[in-house]
Amino acid sequence: MSNSVKMILILTLIACISGGVLSLVYMISSPLIEANMLDEQRKSIFLVVPGAESYEEKMKEDITYFECKDTSGSTVGIALPVQGNGYQGVIKLMVGLTPDLSRITGIKVLEQVETPGLGGRISEDKFQDQFKDVSTKPAVEYVKNQEPEKDTEIRAVTGATISSRSVVAIINKNIQRLSSVL
Amino acid sequence: MKLFTFKQGVHPPYKKELSKDKPIQKAGIPEKIVIPLVQHIGAPCKPDVVVGDAVKEGQMIGKARGFVSAPVHSPVSGKVKRIEKAPHPLGQDILAVIIQPNGNGEMAYMEPMGEKINKLDPTSMLSHILNAGIVGLGGAAFPAHVKFSPPRGKPINTLIINGCECEPYLAADHRLMLEHPDDLLLGAHMIGKVLGVKNIIIAIESNKPDAIKTIDHAAAHGEIVCMVTETKYPQGAEKVLIKALLNREVPSGGLPMDVGVVVSNVGTALAVCEAVRDGKPLIERVVTITGNAVKYSGNYLVKIGTPVINLIEQAGGTTGTPGKFIMGGPMMGIAQSSFDVPVIKGTSGILILKKEDYMEEEHRPCIKCSFCVQSCPISLLPSTLSLIAEAKKWGLAEKYGVNDCIECGSCAYVCPSKRPIVQFIKTAKLKLQEIKAREKK
Amino acid sequence: MFIKGISGEEGEVVAVHGNKAAVKIKANKSCKKCHLCKRISSTEMIVDAFTERPVSKGERVVIAVRPGTIVKSAVILYILPLIGLIIGYYFGKFISAFFHIRVKGELFPACIALIFLFLSFIPIHIYDRKKQNDSRFRVFITDNIPKNISNPD
Amino acid sequence: MEVILIFISAVLVNNFVLSYFLGICPFIGVSDKIESAVSMGFAVTFVLTLAAAITWLINRYILIAFNVTFLEYVSFIIVIASLVQFVEMFIRKTSKTLYDALGIYLPLITTNCAILGLALFGALREYSFIQNIVFGIGAGIGYTLALVIMSGIREELDLADVPEPLKGAAITMIIAGLLALAFMGFA
Amino acid sequence: MENNKQALVLSTSPHIKNNESVPKIMFSVILTLIPAAAFSVYQFGLYILLLCVVSVATCIVSEYVVVRLRKRPFTLTDYSAVVTGILLVMVLPPGFPVYGVILGAVVAIVIGKQIFGGIGYNIFNPALIGRAFLAATYPVFISKWIQPRIGIDALTGTAVADALSSATPLASMKFDGIGTPFISLFFGTTGGSIGETSAFLIILGSLYLISKKYIKWRIPASIFVTVFILGQIFHYIKPDQYPGGVFHLFAGGLMMGGLYMATDMVTSPLTKKGCVIFGAAIGFLVIVIRLFGGLPEGVMYAILFMNAFVPVINRATKPKIFGTWGPA
Amino acid sequence: MAKIDRGDTNAKRRGFSEFAKGFWKENPILVMLLGLCPTLAVTTSAINGLTMGLAVVFVLTGSSLIISVIRNIVPKQVRIPTFIVIIATFVTMVDLFLKAFFLDLSKALGPFIPLIVVNCIILGRAEAFASKNKVWFSLLDALGVSFGFTVTLVVLGGIRELLGMRTFFGMNVLGEGFEPWIVMLLPPGAFITLGFMLGAKNLIDIRMKERKRG
Amino acid sequence: MGGVIILISLASMGGLGLALVLMLVVADKKLSVKEDPRVEKALEILPGANCGACGFAGCGAFAAALVEEKSTVSGCKPGGNETVQKLTDLLGIEETESISPKVARVFCSGGIKETVKDKVYIGIETCISAHLVGGEKACLYSCIGFGDCCEVCQFDAIYMDDNGLPVVDLAKCTGCGECVRACSRNIIGLTDYDEVVHVYCSSHGKGAVTKKICKTGCIACKLCEKDDDTGAVKVIDNLAVIDYGVNKAPVESVNRCPTKVIRVSAPAPGYENMFEAKIKQSQKAVEEKKT
Ligand SMILES: Cc1cc2nc3c(=O)[nH]c(=O)nc-3n(C[C@H](O)[C@H](O)[C@H](O)COP(=O)(O)O)c2cc1C
Ligand SMILES: Cc1cc2nc3c(=O)[nH]c(=O)nc-3n(C[C@H](O)[C@H](O)[C@H](O)COP(=O)(O)O)c2cc1C
Ligand SMILES: Cc1cc2nc3c(=O)[nH]c(=O)nc-3n(C[C@H](O)[C@H](O)[C@H](O)COP(=O)(O)O)c2cc1C
Ligand SMILES: Cc1cc2nc3c(=O)[nH]c(=O)nc-3n(C[C@H](O)[C@H](O)[C@H](O)CO)c2cc1C
Ligand code: SF4
Ligand code: SF4
Ligand code: SF4
Ligand code: SF4
Ligand code: FES
């Protein structure tokens, strides 16, 4: 067998085998993975919209959001996946809103790459819990180094104003976009 | 007056006041004269006498071997006592002819040219210079006849007589210019003639106004010009001097003749004059004895071969504990380990310092202050070179131009870490030479 | 980047014209890789070197390649094609807009970009050839070697 | 504008070596001479950009188009590996002179995680073609920058009195750490 | 065998040296830092003194330990560890915890200096390495500023009054768009690091060092010129967003950094040309970070970044050797 | 270094030394300086290090096995592409597995699981060892090297976790009084810690050598 | 659905693989350039990790460097011993560690205890730098004692003793001659392993002077020369010199030397027998002559 033919045969064969094996593994694992992902999504949605029992994916223009319903089937809130830039990189959030978008029912930081121990503390419950029942009208605000006074205010993580401000900005921007299409 | 100068350099304390006003005295003849057979750059001489021979003042006792070599002569009449290895200012034991003077004063000079000077042709002048064993008296002791016969491809158009004497403490050249201006100028003319050069410059540092005046006066009617340079070390180094006076750069690894210049010390000019006019070989020279550890600093006309210990006695001996004995100036001179070494042709000064005059601290790592960089007249990076040498990267040292260093010592003078930069550089040069020699084999 | 040419070569000046000099050098190991010079035989070659100092025929000199060559070659070899790539992309975009080529997404400009990238090796190839013949490629006389005596200092 | 941001971010803020830890092995190995650092850096830039272009096409027109994104790694890497090998041969043929001076760095790049990392990041961030290219160039320039700095420092450290156990890779690592500290200012 | 009594000393030329020395240089630096440090004590209270003492002591101890472990000659006599210790404190915020200072001082001496072989061999400015390490280690403390003249507890460093913290002029400019009057910047009645607030005293001290040539004047000069020009240019483009050149010059750590830290001999270039390039690049980076980066102040990062470039700069600016056609 | 016997009589001893050398004498990180990227990137905690290490164990063992089986039929010109495809296949399998069962870990390790593909250790061992040795030895070599890798990663991750989060494998060790050093979780901390680990390794080696000499 | 995915995967991977391998095949045919075959072979032996650990830009560069002898085979760390072995076989490089018949010896016995110091040296603490200004000891031929020789020895075969003199560890010395080259005073020499008697002084100074400044220097008394029947020792330029060409050890001279600078060397490990044989042979020769 000439070397060239051998080369062609071997590499093509190996590539094919690899494709074949992987597609098999994929077929086995993909249901599990999808279930995993879905589970995560569900968890975060139910977290930010208390009382929700089921949800429905909706799309308006290019905005995806989830309409949440309780057992009775009435809409208890809206879960909005949003993202934007933080101090270091992208921050992804799930924001829970009342159906009229006037108040936040909760937020969950899904992904972030801020400095651990600093901007990273936006993932801590202490920070996230502040957003419960915060008014979005006219806009969410942050204060530094002091307790919030108004019901639109949250307190920024000390030493990580930029990250905190980013979270607030991302939320405000996306609520506005959503309310403009709803 | 315009002061000629160069970039960078340093200003060490000059300390010339110790010796500059002391007229040249004749030194006495010692009991023993030691004439090493190597007193110049190049091949050593071959002894021309045997033990027991009687010699006369001015008699050749060591023959030149090869072109780059210079004969040596007996400075006194006397008897050859021994021919054996003896201490030498270069730090090794070197074969020397040891003569016991007999005080007869018998002379065996060469034929004096006297009145014939003006008609003399360059070739016979050159042979006089050769036979007189003249070497550069500025320190390097390069055989003068070699310097004065440049190869055909290198036309010379300027002769610089170097009277800068930028080394601190020393005043031999200064006194020479004050006391023998005419002989000196005559010598310069002769060298000019040998070289076929019209353009002759005498360069003097501005801290010798009296010498400038004297020379200016003496040269008033000739073609020789006197140029005054700023008082800055190392103004007298030939490459630097040529740049300052003529704005020509001697190429790296090259010689002044590559830019059409010959540089000679004032003492060399005087020696040429005496050799050609009077037939006197190079058997004595002016030496400054100075330093705080010497009782009476002064300038002496010394027979070559006189052991330093005798000279010190004439200068009243030492005071206090001498800490360092240096042949030459404090910036470039060589430290000696004993007072038994003889004065040789290249000895311009004997400097004996007390402990408090020099500082010998332990050296520290380089802090990259760049003082050395700002002082190197050659624009090297002495700090980097010293680090390279410390790390023993000899090849790298060559790339950083170690061979261009003139070892002037400016860098080590200013270094706040007291790094022995020059020693590092010398070590690197030596190592590179060794490596080159080995590669050739 | 600005070191003195590492591979200083010793050679003899055979001709001088203006600020250029032809220098004959021995071919050695370090020259094997380099094709900057015209070889006159297997053991000797002639290099045209720039000089900033007067040299005369018969003089022995040291020549070296002007520093920065390596870096410059790296730019030519690696950066030029990338510029080609980007130009190709915008060119492709322009073409597709101009001729209303309807290909989904950026496939068309991307392909043009890749084609441009490979095309940009043509000038490099030419440059390479030229450099092999054009021996003036930044060779300089860096030193001359005094024939007779060593430095007295 | 976005393109410029991507570029600057890839060079300084998210420098591949100093904040993404990509391509460290050759970074430690080759960074001892400034000349080789520059050449190596440019070679990396070239291959990075080329890989960015090709893997973008593969991703968009095979993996996504046929919904087989799980083949990402396999397909990217096979393309990169063959590509580098091909480019090496190609450059050697088109420009022997330059290859002799610089081509030696090419094989070193195959196993450099920076390339695959770039391809994966590009796919993850859903860059457009030109964005991906610029990302590649930026990452490459950032890599070159880190290499050049490091090689300069290492040349200098050759002359320093570094403690014996720390000589070599250890001190290089620590310097990389200090460099990463200095790069944090660009965040 | 026994030594000869009257042994002469042998060494290579030159046999005389001038009377500069490393300890003398370092000592001068310490002296000129005293006014700024004293002013800081006046501003922020005795706690600063405590920090200084702790920092210097830690530097000395770490240096001693490392040098002993490495069996190298005793190097404390050169005072450089003291300089590092003082400068480290000078660039930290007034309320910084003592254990943080200790950590910073150890890092400055061990990682910033001794790892490279001790004085003279370090690539980066040790004090700034200490600070950068602390900035990344305790990011919360490092951005906690205290209003001057309100007094902080001499032992714990916590502010006595209830006005906990204040933003530095740069931070208020960057995040809130509030400027600070020039006079308070110049004389240092604003918030900021311990030693950086009074531009006046820093300049005063450094003038002496410049006159002794211990500071290469080209570095601060080119930093300040670059910062001023670039600052002014951006100010003209967007006056309400970007402050003017004078503000840039006297706000934050620029005076301290430009005069005392960028000029550290060990970590700055050797040649004059190199110094100018080095300074200009620092100035450029300072403006870039201040105006476009995520942080309000970038002097430290700019200097550290350029420290890394010094070997390359030194290579690129090698002087032309006498008698050659180019650099060595 | 172990002397390499060619006969089979000492196969057992050789087998053991092939396995053991990966831990110290030929430690992939500390000696061969390979696979540094994942080493530095994922070791923010001990558990991350462990997971990454185990992933490498699987990939290296699997691919070494296959490569040493087919080593004789692959033409030289396509050796690297072939090997790397095999490796990538295993890596994808690990990735899918993690995503299916340990989603959080998979997220924490981020893009560094796929980067095992180009991890210099794997290709290095494949080329250096598996492509030249019999299956059994390749397997032992792979196991040794990858476990050496794992151990080193756990140590590095442990140090960083301890100082950066005052915990070890998630347990609070240093207590609340210790203010965590955030830098340890950042790139500088990774580089500096690994630098000191390399230094410590060298120091121990030097000391051992000295002791041997007496 | 599963079948489709498998098909697509097979097709896309197979297609990719095929396309790429075709490209490589064509490139291999059209673009390949010849190399030194040994480079190829070396490359094959090397791990191919292209890790750069050797300090070269990848295995190819390292292989080329090996063939051009710019690097030693042990540069490749990932490869390990086996690779080194194979490379050694391929390139025909001799193992340097094999014992060579030469060994270094230090021809100076004037340590701190024996030799007068008559000056103080301040400067760089290496022999070569101290040599530039003359060192500290009065004897200009003596060991300077900063140990330049020890530093260059790659085999740790030479170390400074308490007396400030270097000692060669004969078991380790490979006779590479590095120390000989490093010594600026030229007092280290390479000698044959089985040469047993040497003059442990290098001073060409006058005997009278030497006597004053060193307890164990050669004072050129010529006793060795006169009394030795083998005629192997001559005093040349104030120093006893052994003519190693004479196939007998000048054992007699050893006894006669008043300052004990001629000594019987320690036997080199593995050469003890040869050593004794040599001594016996010499003694026999001496006795024969006497009778
Ligand atoms: C190492 C380091 C990491 C940082 N990480 C973050 C971060 O994750 N999030 C953030 O908002 N700011 C971060 N910063 C920015 C500073 O802490 C900045 O001064 C701060 O955002 C100012 O906010 P403050 O007003 O709350 O002090 C970081 C700074 C440093 C030095
Ligand atoms: C640093 C340095 C300083 C020198 N200073 C002087 C000097 O002051 N006077 C002098 O005549 N020669 C001085 N020389 C020697 C000159 O360079 C040159 O060799 C000498 O003037 C040539 O004259 P000669 O051959 O007659 O000695 C110095 C050399 C060096 C390297
Ligand atoms: C803040 C300051 C700025 C200076 N600016 C200059 C200047 O712009 N040009 C100048 O020639 N000297 C200037 N000097 C004078 C320098 O102190 C001194 O003359 C110069 O460093 C000499 O350097 P040199 O090494 O180039 O001779 C300045 C001095 C100070 C203190
Ligand atoms: C003008 C000047 C500035 C200095 N600045 C610093 C500094 O910023 N940080 C520091 O640690 N040491 C500084 N030093 C002290 C010393 O140079 C430093 O510790 C060395 O870097 C240690 O090798 C300075 C010294 C001088 C003379
Ligand atoms: S490097 Fe040489 S030329 Fe330059 S200052 Fe120092 S001794 Fe003088
Ligand atoms: S003067 Fe001394 S300390 Fe300063 S840079 Fe030069 S060598 Fe270094
Ligand atoms: S350097 Fe060579 S000859 Fe000298 S002792 Fe060491 S091994 Fe022997
Ligand atoms: S033998 Fe030579 S090199 Fe060794 S210590 Fe003595 S003088 Fe130095
Ligand atoms: S693991 Fe080696 S380059 Fe990334």
Side-chain angles (χ1 to χ4, degrees), chain B residues 71-330:
Chain B
V72 294
H73 304 79
S74 170
V76 291
S77 63
K79 204 173 101 189
V80 177
K81 286 257 309 234
R82 278 183 309 245
I83 300 178
E84 62 175 27
K85 281 191 177 171
H88 186 279
L90 286 179
Q92 294 150 312
D93 285 356
I94 282 176
L95 203 63
V97 178
I98 293 163
I99 299 169
Q100 190 171 30
N102 56 15
N104 288 350
E106 286 171 284
M107 303 216 291
Y109 282 6
M110 300 174 297
E111 183 198 355
M113 291 299 157
E115 303 306 307
K116 288 182 282 178
I117 298 170
N118 289 333
K119 284 169 234 144
L120 218 53
D121 64 314
T123 341
S124 55
M125 276 204 233
L126 199 59
S127 78
H128 253 75
I129 293 172
L130 166 64
N131 291 330
I134 296 181
V135 301
L137 298 187
F142 192 74
H145 63 277
V146 181
K147 202 190 241 182
F148 298 156
S149 43
R152 204 165 291 147
K154 310 268 182 189
I156 304 293
N157 52 35
T158 312
L159 168 67
I160 297 176
I161 300 297
N162 189 346
C164 291
E165 198 156 56
C166 56
E167 275 271 9
Y169 287 100
L170 302 191
D173 291 355
H174 187 181
R175 290 313 306 176
L176 215 93
M177 287 188 283
L178 277 181
E179 295 178 31
H180 304 282
D182 297 321
D183 291 358
L184 195 157
L185 291 179
L186 188 58
H189 268 298
M190 287 171 181
I191 302 174
K193 200 152 186 193
V194 171
L195 288 166
V197 170
K198 286 268 148 57
N199 201 357
I200 303 177
I201 301 169
I202 294 199
I204 308 176
E205 269 190 351
S206 61
N207 62 351
K208 305 175 189 66
D210 46 352
I212 297 169
K213 226 165 103 196
T214 316
I215 294 285
D216 239 3
H217 186 74
H221 304 295
E223 308 128 359
I224 300 182
V225 279
C226 176
M227 283 167 120
V228 183
T229 59
E230 194 189 315
T231 308
K232 181 154 87 170
Y233 183 84
Q235 190 62 265
E238 55 190 15
K239 289 187 179 185
V240 170
L241 191 60
I242 293 168
K243 176 81 184 175
L245 298 180
L246 305 170
N247 196 22
R248 296 185 204 167
E249 258 184 47
V250 179
S252 157
L255 291 170
M257 66 180 179
D258 290 323
V259 291
V261 182
V262 162
V263 183
S264 264
N265 179 249
V266 284
T268 317
L270 187 69
V272 167
C273 169
E274 288 179 345
V276 176
R277 190 183 58 195
D278 311 333
K280 180 180 164 194
L282 183 56
I283 50 172
E284 41 186 23
R285 68 156 298 151
V286 182
V287 175
T288 304
I289 304 180
T290 181
N292 287 339
V294 177
K295 207 164 210 167
Y296 305 115
S297 294
N299 301 292
Y300 294 85
L301 186 65
V302 183
K303 296 275 181 204
I304 282 161
T306 309
V308 170
I309 188 92
N310 298 72
L311 268 183
I312 294 175
E313 276 163 21
Q314 293 187 35
T318 55
T319 61
T321 323
K324 218 174 200 181
F325 159 33
I326 298 154
M327 279 264 202

Side-chain angles (χ1 to χ4, degrees), chain E residues 7-65:
Chain E
L8 288 167
V9 172
L10 286 191
S11 67
T12 340
S13 60
H15 305 285
I16 49 173
K17 310 214 165 145
N18 72 3
N19 55 3
E20 297 295 356
S21 71
V22 177
K24 196 174 153 196
I25 294 176
M26 295 301 161
F27 201 69
S28 318
V29 175
I30 297 170
L31 279 182
T32 61
L33 278 172
I34 285 179
F39 180 72
S40 226
V41 175
Y42 164 75
Q43 286 281 59
F44 300 109
L46 280 177
Y47 183 65
I48 305 305
L49 203 59
L50 176 73
L51 288 190
C52 278
V53 170
V54 166
S55 168
V56 169
T58 315
C59 282
I60 289 175
V61 170
S62 344
E63 175 131 334
Y64 179 74
V65 169

Side-chain angles (χ1 to χ4, degrees), chain F:
Chain F
M1 178 175 306
K3 197 167 170 171
I4 291 168
D5 299 331
R6 282 164 216 282
D8 269 347
T9 39
N10 280 332
K12 224 185 209 162
R13 197 171 343 128
R14 182 190 161 194
F16 179 72
S17 72
E18 294 297 4
F19 177 73
K21 70 182 186 220
F23 287 86
W24 189 263
K25 281 182 191 147
E26 286 186 31
N27 185 301
I29 297 172
L30 300 180
V31 178
M32 295 193 278
L33 296 174
L34 296 179
L36 296 174
C37 309
T39 303
L40 292 162
V42 304
T43 51
T44 46
S45 68
I47 185 78
N48 284 358
L50 185 65
T51 317
M52 175 55 103
L54 293 180
V56 168
V57 171
F58 173 74
V59 174
L60 186 52
T61 322
S63 50
S64 284
L65 196 75
I66 300 223
I67 287 170
S68 78
V69 169
I70 64 162
R71 66 182 192 272
N72 289 330
I73 56 167
V74 183
K76 192 183 92 220
Q77 292 91 332
V78 293
R79 213 160 62 182
I80 291 184
T82 312
F83 290 175
I84 218 161
V85 166
I86 295 170
I87 297 167
T89 311
F90 278 97
V91 170
T92 313
M93 279 156 47
V94 172
D95 191 41
L96 292 173
F97 172 79
L98 277 178
K99 275 199 185 125
F101 296 104
F102 303 99
L103 189 60
D104 286 342
L105 269 176
S106 152
K107 268 192 189 167
L109 299 184
F112 283 90
I113 287 286
L115 289 185
I116 300 177
V117 176
V118 267
N119 189 323
C120 313
I121 303 182
I122 311 241
L123 199 65
R125 281 340 272 184
E127 281 265 296
F129 210 93
S131 71
K132 288 167 197 155
N133 281 279
K134 294 215 182 100
V135 180
W136 169 240
F137 290 133
S138 309
L139 206 61
L140 283 173
D141 174 74
L143 280 172
V145 167
S146 53
F147 274 111
F149 184 75
T150 311
V151 171
T152 320
L153 246 61
V154 171
V155 172
L156 180 58
I159 297 175
R160 291 180 65 191
E161 184 183 346
L162 197 66
L163 294 174
M165 293 190 278
R166 64 190 164 206
T167 59
F168 185 68
F169 277 108
M171 291 170 297
N172 193 328
V173 178
L174 291 180
E176 294 301 320
F178 179 81
E179 186 69 37
W181 301 4
I182 286 161
V183 69
M184 295 309 280
L185 307 176
L186 304 176
F191 281 116
I192 292 173
T193 315
L194 183 57
F196 277 109
M197 274 174 71
L198 286 170
K201 158 96 179 38
N202 292 343
L203 189 66
I204 294 172
D205 280 348
I206 292 173
R207 284 282 147 82
M208 288 208 304
K209 215 168 145 197
E210 270 169 10
R211 189 167 308 163
K212 226 182 245 165
R213 211 188 301 153

Side-chain angles (χ1 to χ4, degrees), chain B residues 334-348:
Chain B
I334 301 172
Q336 303 294 326
S337 58
S338 93
F339 293 113
D340 295 334
V341 291
V343 167
I344 58 170
K345 292 176 183 174
T347 310
S348 50

Side-chain angles (χ1 to χ4, degrees), chain C residues 1-3 6 32-36 70-71 73-79 81-82 85-86 89-90 93 103-111 113-114 117-118 121 124-125 127-128 131-132, chain D residues 3 34-35 38-39 42-43 45-46 49-50 53-54 56-57 60-61 86-87 90-91 93-106 127-131 133-134 137 141 148:
Chain C
M1 269 162 273
F2 298 87
I3 45 153
I6 308 168
K32 247 186 230 157
K33 284 192 191 148
C34 164
H35 307 275
L36 301 180
I70 291 182
V71 175
S73 331
V75 170
I76 290 163
L77 182 55
Y78 294 124
I79 304 302
L82 294 186
L85 184 78
I86 293 187
Y89 172 80
Y90 284 106
K93 260 188 130 165
V103 185
K104 211 178 88 201
E106 292 172 291
L107 184 60
F108 184 75
C111 291
L114 283 179
L117 178 126
F118 278 93
F121 276 93
I124 292 178
H125 188 58
Y127 170 80
D128 187 62
K131 227 174 56 177
Q132 282 179 16
Chain D
V3 178
I34 294 188
E35 270 78 13
V38 174
S39 316
F42 283 163
T45 310
F46 177 71
T49 315
L50 197 57
I54 306 266
W56 185 87
L57 289 171
R60 186 58 58 93
Y61 294 103
F86 176 76
V87 166
F90 184 77
I91 289 182
K93 195 73 185 175
T94 43
S95 182
K96 180 86 178 80
T97 323
L98 295 177
Y99 176 83
D100 281 344
L102 309 162
I104 44 174
Y105 295 107
L106 284 168
Y127 281 146
S128 72
F129 180 76
I130 190 70
Q131 282 175 337
I133 299 271
V134 170
I137 295 180
I141 301 287
V148 169

